Amino acid sequence: MNGQVRFSRGGLVALALCVLAAVGLTSTRSVAQGRVERGLAASADATIRIYNLSGSTSISGWDRDSVAVVAELEPGAGRFYMAGHEAIKLGVEPPTAGTTAGSARLEIRVPRGSVVWVKAADASIEVDGVEGGLDLYSVSGSVRVRGAPATVRAESMEGAIWIEARTPWLRAKTASGSIDLAGEVSDLAATSVSGTIRVVAARQARARIESVTGEVIVSGRPTRGGAWEIETHSGAVTLALAPDTDAEIDVHTFGGEVRSTLGRVLNRRTDDLAGSDWSIMAGAGGTSMTVRTFKAPVTIRPAR
Amino acid sequence: MRCEEVRGRLDEWVEGALGERQKEAVAAHLAGCDDCRAEARELEALLAAAADLPREIRPPRELWAGIDARLGDEPSPMVVPLAARRGPRRAGLPAWAMVAAALALVVVTAAVTTILTRNYDEAVALKLRRAGESAPPTAARDEDVPGADEARFLAASQELLAGLEAQDLSPETMEIVRRNLEVIDAAIAELQVALDRDPGNGELTRMLLATYQRKIDLLEQAARSGEG
Amino acid sequence: MNDRVDSIPGGPDVQGSDLVRRAQGGDRAAFRRLYEDHVGRVYALCLRLTGDPEDAMERTQDVFVRAWGNLGSFRGEAAFATWLHRLAVNVVLTDRRSAGRRERRAEAAAVMSPRYEPAPRAGLALDLERAIAALPPGARAVFVLYDVEGYRHDEIAEMTGIATGTSKAQLHRARKLLREALS
Ligand SMILES: [Zn+2]
């Protein structure tokens, strides 16, 4: 079954038979390896679930109603599989469940409007040009997204998350990896425990950034009308904003030091027990930015 | 064109970035104005000198040793070449390592549970103390809400921990979870101390709950990573 | 030395990309070779952006440490030199530690000026380096990136988070101050 195989749309019975044949054929080989190329007809808004524990998975959207995969499997990586039409499952099935003795490199083309779900252990995940929803999970691999997906949920325990996208809804979560976000996101939330979070402010209507010890850096120019909430326990917060930013910035910290060289300080109150409260007006205001830390320093300055 | 206007355009003039008409106007002015012409020459000389500056300057001291000492074992895990990942990831771990990992998981879980339980007891004691000190039970309702939340968080974390224990997570994943739980627990402990000093502080209570939420998130994320 | 690096502004560099691949795989010796090839360029940039050799050396180290950590995100779309260069700009201009450090150094410099004594070279270049070091930080960054390094205003805006209009205004200011300092 090597080489490109295409199925006509609607030929579901034939499709199922072929898939069964394909699965049957590959599973008779004890160790599938080397290069595998596969194609499969898919609906334009297919839901595609991809499993690849180790190695890399790279997905890009195209303007065809089909899924095409080039898989490079190391010996011991397991068996490549793919089946379905509206709901497609594909990936590498390890020899023993949940473990793998080799990695796989998957390059996958999917219909642009697909909803894509990816699961990885230490494999990196990269998605470009998919316009349906994205759900991407890796344990220690990195996650990279570009394009204009309908929604993005990206999680990695330890890998770096990097997203540059135009999307109405984005959730990025990591324990100790870093998060880098840029693009036009209406509703954004980024959460980490100890990883650094960097966000380039632009047209966010709502943004919520939270960490425990991870540093938070917001740069760029938030568009007027947005509402930002940033909270850390001990991760330093830096707002390095365009000098002509229009924002009301409220800072509350129990034990951190606050420094601001942007806009005017309207109000500043410090109390041994209750901590410090600062109100800063940058430009004409119009964007609300709230920063809260337990003991982290907060720096507000014009971007240099 | 007046001198002021010309001076304002010289930046673009020397870069050839002006439109045809403006370019002609500036040229005409420069032909007849010594001061502005001198200014333009100076600017051109500056830009030529800037472009001629050496692109490389050797640092006065050797820097490599300091860099080398700070490098991790591997660059970021993003595109680790296939070859570097060869070999069994888990299946080939010796039995003792699996046992150690399992034990570590139990210890971590127990420690977390202890901390959670202690926090819970303290929170309850605190609430009782506060209720007794300051206000009749009806007026204390606002304070009940965070207390109730805290109990809910505790129940959720314990459930999740139990779930994690049952799951066969890789030692690498458990190690990540363990490290980050430590970070979160340290933060929770600090918030507890602060809250002890200032029990009525709503903002601190909120931060404490938000930090519990981080813990739940982490445990949920870990649990998801174990699902097929 | 100059020629070699300048001759590969954006194009592929077979030997270099092999080194990059090896470094991405964790080969420290390969990374050290990359360091040797690029340190002069990175240090020159850091020096001009900070106006302070000590600060610049620290920044240079930070850049290579960061580069090692981020090698995974280098995808080979641009030349490694270009990627590293942007990383350096980022490290120097957005690292929050720089601000405090720079202020402390400015205080020290006030006592023991001249603060930055470049290696002796031709007269005009020497004066120019000194004058650049004495510029206010915002104007200095834009001048170095635009007139020395050749970035465009939109690129500078993207890298530093300032508006392109601000970048142009800062450039105008820097050029004016430099001409005054050099005349
Ligand atoms: Zn004139």
Side-chain angles (χ1 to χ4, degrees):
Chain A
M1 285 302 281
N2 277 7
Q4 203 88 344
V5 179
R6 291 256 163 69
F7 301 98
S8 66
R9 272 244 260 173
L12 282 178
V13 176
L15 179 79
L17 287 173
C18 283
V19 166
L20 284 176
V23 169
L25 274 178
T26 43
S27 59
T28 53
R29 278 186 270 163
S30 58
V31 189
Q33 56 175 285
R35 187 181 165 91
V36 177
E37 286 185 35
R38 291 284 182 75
L40 188 64
S43 66
D45 56 355
T47 299
I48 302 172
R49 294 174 78 83
I50 299 165
Y51 296 81
N52 182 22
L53 291 181
S54 193
S56 67
T57 302
S58 141
I59 299 148
S60 52
W62 67 356
D63 295 312
R64 297 189 199 174
D65 291 352
S66 58
V67 174
V69 183
V70 177
E72 282 179 42
L73 307 172
E74 275 191 343
R79 184 179 63 85
F80 176 78
Y81 63 91
M82 171 156 86
H85 177 71
E86 274 168 26
I88 291 173
K89 268 191 163 189
L90 70 91
V92 180
E93 185 183 55
T96 334
T99 71
T100 173
S103 46
R105 191 191 295 268
L106 301 186
E107 281 197 44
I108 306 167
R109 304 285 218 138
V110 302
R112 201 172 283 287
S114 314
V115 174
V116 176
W117 183 101
V118 186
K119 175 73 184 291
D122 60 12
S124 64
I125 302 170
E126 196 169 346
V127 183
D128 197 347
V130 175
E131 288 169 10
L134 300 177
D135 276 279
L136 313 170
Y137 302 94
S138 183
V139 176
S140 58
S142 62
V143 178
R144 282 175 79 89
V145 177
R146 268 176 192 280
T151 61
V152 184
R153 182 190 291 281
E155 293 189 2
S156 180
M157 297 286 284
E158 201 174 40
I161 296 176
W162 187 97
I163 299 172
E164 187 176 325
R166 202 170 67 243
T167 181
W169 191 90
L170 187 156
R171 296 289 178 269
K173 188 181 285 183
T174 175
S176 39
S178 59
I179 298 179
D180 278 280
L181 304 176
E184 289 181 31
V185 182
S186 324
D187 185 345
L188 175 156
T191 312
S192 94
V193 176
S194 53
T196 299
I197 303 177
R198 281 174 292 258
V199 178
V200 179
R203 298 204 181 157
Q204 293 83 358
R206 276 184 22 184
R208 185 162 179 79
I209 302 169
E210 292 172 281
S211 89
V212 181
T213 59
E215 195 178 333
V216 173
I217 301 153
V218 176
S219 61
R221 180 191 294 97
T223 313
R224 289 186 67 170
W228 289 71
E229 284 188 70
I230 298 159
E231 184 165 326
T232 78
H233 182 81
S234 56
V237 177
T238 304
L239 308 184
L241 304 174
D244 55 349
T245 294
D246 292 318
E248 301 102 51
I249 304 167
D250 288 308
V251 182
H252 178 82
T253 174
F254 284 95
E257 198 189 327
V258 184
R259 287 182 40 186
S260 175
T261 52
L262 181 79
R264 288 170 296 138
V265 178
L266 299 182
N267 196 0
R268 179 193 312 189
R269 194 175 53 77
T270 300
D271 173 302
D272 267 359
L273 212 53
S276 329
D277 281 296
W278 288 49
S279 301
I280 294 152
M281 175 65 83
T287 298
S288 146
M289 301 186 90
T290 308
V291 181
R292 296 194 200 88
T293 79
F294 177 67
K295 60 171 189 179
V298 178
T299 307
I300 297 157
R301 61 168 174 81
R304 281 185 293 265
Chain B
M1 242 184 200
R2 289 177 308 137
C3 291
E4 260 171 60
E5 210 180 328
V6 170
R7 306 261 165 117
R9 302 242 156 102
L10 282 181
D11 273 339
E12 291 158 289
W13 157 262
V14 295
E15 288 171 19
L18 286 176
E20 248 352 276
R21 276 176 53 195
Q22 291 197 323
K23 203 188 287 179
E24 278 168 28
V26 172
H29 179 97
L30 290 180
C33 176
D34 289 348
D35 284 352
C36 285
R37 202 162 54 238
E39 191 99 347
R41 290 235 178 87
E42 251 180 55
L43 186 54
E44 277 164 346
L46 170 67
L47 298 194
D52 269 358
L53 287 176
R55 286 291 179 281
E56 293 193 19
I57 300 174
R58 227 32 229 187
R61 276 203 315 271
E62 175 50 49
L63 303 178
W64 175 255
I67 294 167
D68 195 34
R70 286 166 61 195
L71 298 186
D73 287 339
E74 257 182 39
S76 68
M78 197 123 157
V79 281
V80 178
L82 291 175
R85 285 288 177 203
R86 197 151 286 143
R89 214 170 50 83
R90 258 173 78 205
L93 274 182
W96 64 263
M98 295 298 279
V99 172
L103 274 177
L105 175 53
V106 172
V107 170
V108 167
T109 310
V112 168
T113 310
T114 309
I115 290 167
L116 282 173
T117 314
R118 200 187 63 221
N119 287 347
Y120 180 66
D121 289 343
E122 279 171 12
V124 171
L126 188 66
K127 215 169 69 178
L128 290 175
R129 210 157 63 225
R130 245 187 275 154
E133 275 167 11
S134 55
T138 44
R141 187 173 295 154
D142 281 350
E143 290 174 356
D144 278 344
V145 176
D149 279 347
E150 203 170 342
R152 190 168 54 75
F153 281 134
L154 286 164
S157 344
Q158 263 152 349
E159 208 173 293
L160 281 162
L161 279 166
L164 273 191
E165 226 175 345
Q167 255 177 9
D168 187 25
L169 289 181
S170 73
E172 294 94 315
T173 309
M174 277 319 300
E175 175 57 20
I176 301 170
V177 175
R178 192 190 59 73
R179 277 203 316 267
N180 282 284
L181 280 178
E182 271 178 10
V183 168
I184 297 175
D185 285 335
I188 288 177
E190 285 183 341
L191 287 163
Q192 288 285 357
V193 170
L195 207 45
D196 267 347
R197 276 212 314 266
D198 187 14
N201 196 314
E203 176 72 3
L204 275 177
T205 310
R206 206 193 47 69
M207 275 192 173
L208 177 64
L209 294 178
T211 313
Y212 273 124
Q213 184 64 53
R214 289 285 76 69
K215 186 166 191 163
I216 306 257
D217 285 352
L218 176 68
L219 294 171
E220 279 180 339
Q221 199 178 343
R224 268 198 299 278
S225 81
E227 288 163 7
Chain C
M1 257 312 211
N2 291 353
D3 292 341
R4 203 167 49 75
V5 172
D6 280 343
S7 64
I8 47 159
D13 161 19
V14 176
Q15 201 198 353
S17 63
D18 181 51
L19 286 175
V20 171
R21 258 196 308 281
R22 279 166 49 202
Q24 283 177 326
D27 181 342
R28 280 176 182 238
F31 188 66
R32 169 148 203 188
R33 289 270 309 281
L34 287 170
Y35 162 83
E36 295 294 348
D37 287 351
H38 296 276
V39 64
R41 189 88 199 266
V42 170
Y43 176 71
L45 177 66
C46 292
L47 180 61
R48 290 186 183 121
L49 286 174
T50 60
D52 178 309
E54 276 304 319
D55 203 355
M57 283 189 280
E58 262 179 74
R59 304 279 95 194
T60 302
Q61 291 184 315
D62 292 349
V63 169
F64 282 96
V65 171
R66 194 87 75 86
W68 174 257
N70 290 353
L71 266 179
S73 70
F74 174 66
R75 289 291 164 131
E77 305 104 340
F80 180 71
T82 310
W83 179 81
L84 189 64
H85 214 250
R86 285 206 163 225
L87 183 71
V89 172
N90 194 25
V91 164
V92 177
L93 295 184
T94 65
D95 192 324
R96 75 201 160 79
R97 284 181 302 163
S98 312
R101 209 182 313 190
R102 234 177 255 150
E103 276 156 28
R104 282 201 309 280
R105 290 199 196 288
E107 285 163 22
V111 184
M112 9 178 271
S113 64
R115 56 198 285 240
Y116 165 33
E117 204 57 65
R121 284 197 308 271
L124 177 60
L126 177 63
D127 292 343
L128 178 55
E129 295 275 27
R130 267 209 206 98
I132 292 172
L135 284 174
R140 181 171 58 219
V142 173
F143 180 81
V144 168
L145 294 176
Y146 191 94
D147 278 338
V148 181
E149 300 293 341
Y151 287 103
R152 297 188 312 266
H153 284 299
D154 57 327
E155 292 175 306
I156 295 171
E158 185 215 313
M159 286 189 286
T160 61
I162 64 176
T164 50
T166 311
S167 179
K168 285 179 187 167
Q170 289 282 29
L171 180 69
H172 182 75
R173 180 164 165 243
R175 286 172 172 179
K176 189 156 171 278
L177 289 170
L178 287 173
R179 274 184 288 138
E180 281 164 14
L182 294 171
S183 61

